[in-house]
Amino acid sequence: MKNLQKLMSLLIPVSILFISCEGPQGQAGRDANETCMECHNRDVVDKVEKQYTHSEHFLGEAFEEAGARTNCAPCHTTDGFLYVVEHATPVTNYVVDAATASLPGRLECYTCHSKIHTTFTFDDFELTTTDPVPMLMWAGKKTLDFQAETSNLCAKCHQPRQVAGQAGTINYDVLVSEPNTNYTLSTINYRTGVHYGTESAMNGGQGGIEFGTDYDRNHPHSSTASCATCHMAEPSGVSGGHSFIINFNGCNVQGCHSDMDQNKVSEFTEEFDTLLETLANELNAIGGANPILQRDPADNEYHGYIDIFDAQANPTGYWGAQGNPPFPMLTNEQFGAFLNFQLLVRDGSHGIHNPDYMMDLLEKTVEAL
């Protein structure tokens, strides 16, 4: 009898648990399971999870290398991103508190979808933010606001950071208005520049150091399509969906293209890359026999770094190493051209994000030098 009483005492809390587990409406227990299965099934969440494992957002380097830094966590961790959104963190100081950055974790569903497991309907997938995005690089003086508001979510992080000057954010206008003056607005080192993530600035047709006039900004990629159109297209292999790896399924359904393929893309990107190499050569010529741009030893490509000696980050750097000369003085125009090189290279699309604006920026920068 005592054993039976003990058994009943264990079963009663369990029965209460199942009675309390109910969906938004309907009978306890049974309807909750059906509500959950709207998303938790092989055709919805399971597929998304598989796609996401191929995403750069999922991979460890995105948070393990930078997530524990208070000025990197906003875009390298879920908690950091949510902190910036919830606190309306000023674009002149995009940092989180030390506690938020103390335990970094990879980007996850909650980063982009703000109501997961709150309504138990498809409203759970509401985006965390679609507000216009003041640009970090320009300290809020310029704003990205895409016609497809979903792209604003991507732009929140996929934008260039500001280059900090001696007295705050650089006045980029001076780089154009006083082109032949020596550049003195900030100290130049190996890491000088606008960081990675320049895609939204290039796609939005703004953010570059604009030499000359008459820039063509509003390409259909920014005015009609969205980031998701191409980067979350119908999955094919390991591309599309929540892998965010572009494929041509998205290009050919939006209304701009019907027969886009790799050959057509290559025709443009080869032209773009050839002119980008010309800009690299013009910049390297500043150093005479010793280039100023660093070629990454892993792939022998330029990634926008200056080849200045840094004991930890660039120990084989030429300029400033023991026995070598200091980095040469740049003019405002030359420094502006270097920033444009970073913006174009680190965009990663080889001009595809906004062919008109990016080619204008590239051509006018080469002409300026």
Side-chain angles (χ1 to χ4, degrees):
M1 186 64 179
K2 290 182 178 180
N3 290 335
L4 179 59
Q5 290 175 339
K6 288 181 180 180
L7 178 60
M8 291 300 294
S9 67
L10 291 173
L11 290 176
I12 289 172
V14 175
S15 64
I16 292 173
L17 172 65
F18 280 109
I19 291 172
S20 64
C21 178
E22 59 185 65
Q25 296 178 351
Q27 295 184 7
R30 184 188 64 191
D31 294 330
N33 293 339
E34 293 183 3
T35 300
C36 295
M37 287 301 294
E38 288 185 23
C39 299
H40 289 274
N41 61 68
R42 296 189 66 182
D43 291 328
V44 183
V45 170
D46 289 0
K47 283 187 176 179
V48 167
E49 183 179 10
K50 290 182 175 69
Q51 294 159 11
Y52 191 59
T53 59
H54 298 286
S55 166
E56 290 289 336
H57 289 172
F58 175 81
L59 300 178
E61 183 179 353
F63 71 93
E64 288 177 352
E65 181 177 331
R69 303 171 193 162
T70 56
N71 63 332
C72 298
C75 289
H76 286 264
T77 71
T78 290
D79 289 342
F81 182 76
L82 296 180
Y83 179 98
V84 166
V85 173
E86 292 167 3
H87 290 77
T89 304
V91 294
T92 53
N93 190 30
Y94 235 34
V95 298
V96 300
D97 59 29
T100 301
S102 64
L103 189 62
R106 64 166 49 92
L107 302 179
E108 56 188 23
C109 305
Y110 295 92
T111 311
C112 298
H113 300 288
S114 61
K115 292 186 176 180
I116 293 178
H117 292 162
T118 57
T119 69
F120 296 96
T121 69
F122 282 98
D123 288 344
D124 279 10
F125 298 117
E126 181 176 312
L127 298 182
T128 305
T129 178
T130 57
D131 292 340
V133 181
M135 293 185 67
L136 290 166
M137 177 182 175
W138 290 84
K141 295 178 181 178
K142 293 187 177 183
T143 299
L144 294 164
D145 188 11
F146 292 95
Q147 183 171 328
E149 291 183 342
T150 56
S151 296
N152 289 343
L153 172 66
C154 307
K156 188 77 173 176
C157 282
H158 288 271
Q159 60 162 313
R161 298 192 312 196
Q162 65 248 43
V163 180
Q166 294 173 344
T169 304
I170 287 175
N171 180 359
Y172 301 107
D173 294 335
V174 173
L175 304 181
V176 175
S177 63
E178 301 177 20
N180 298 317
T181 302
N182 285 340
Y183 174 77
T184 58
L185 297 176
S186 70
T187 302
I188 296 178
N189 56 45
Y190 169 69
R191 293 192 179 277
T192 294
V194 296
H195 196 57
Y196 290 96
T198 67
E199 298 89 354
S200 64
M202 296 294 93
N203 184 274
Q206 58 179 313
I209 312 303
E210 296 180 0
F211 300 102
T213 58
D214 298 324
Y215 282 79
D216 192 349
R217 304 178 190 280
N218 295 318
H219 190 274
H221 286 177
S222 60
S223 62
T224 303
S226 69
C227 299
T229 300
C230 296
H231 286 276
M232 300 184 72
E234 182 67 24
S236 175
V238 296
S239 66
H242 278 76
S243 75
F244 306 111
I245 300 171
I246 190 171
N247 68 40
F248 296 114
N249 288 340
C251 301
N252 291 323
V253 300
Q254 189 63 23
C256 302
H257 311 287
S258 59
D259 59 349
M260 184 56 62
D261 59 30
Q262 187 58 55
N263 290 333
K264 293 185 177 182
V265 170
S266 296
E267 289 177 9
F268 173 80
T269 58
E270 287 173 8
E271 177 186 0
F272 183 88
D273 288 346
T274 298
L275 190 56
L276 193 61
E277 188 73 21
T278 299
L279 177 56
N281 292 337
E282 293 283 349
L283 290 169
N284 281 330
I286 297 170
N290 297 288
I292 71 166
L293 298 174
Q294 181 219 38
R295 283 193 182 273
D296 191 298
D299 58 13
N300 201 37
E301 298 288 342
Y302 296 122
H303 294 278
Y305 290 104
I306 301 176
D307 198 27
I308 295 177
F309 172 79
D310 183 298
Q312 292 184 328
N314 192 31
T316 61
Y318 174 81
W319 299 100
Q322 187 172 4
N324 292 344
F327 188 71
M329 178 66 72
L330 302 181
T331 65
N332 283 338
E333 183 177 74
Q334 290 169 335
F335 187 72
F338 166 69
L339 292 183
N340 284 344
F341 181 78
Q342 284 189 324
L343 288 164
L344 294 164
V345 166
R346 292 177 173 179
D347 165 83
S349 75
H350 304 271
I352 292 297
H353 277 145
N354 192 329
D356 298 335
Y357 179 76
M358 295 179 73
M359 187 61 84
D360 278 349
L361 187 66
L362 181 51
E363 290 176 343
K364 294 177 189 297
T365 303
V366 171
E367 289 172 4
L369 291 176

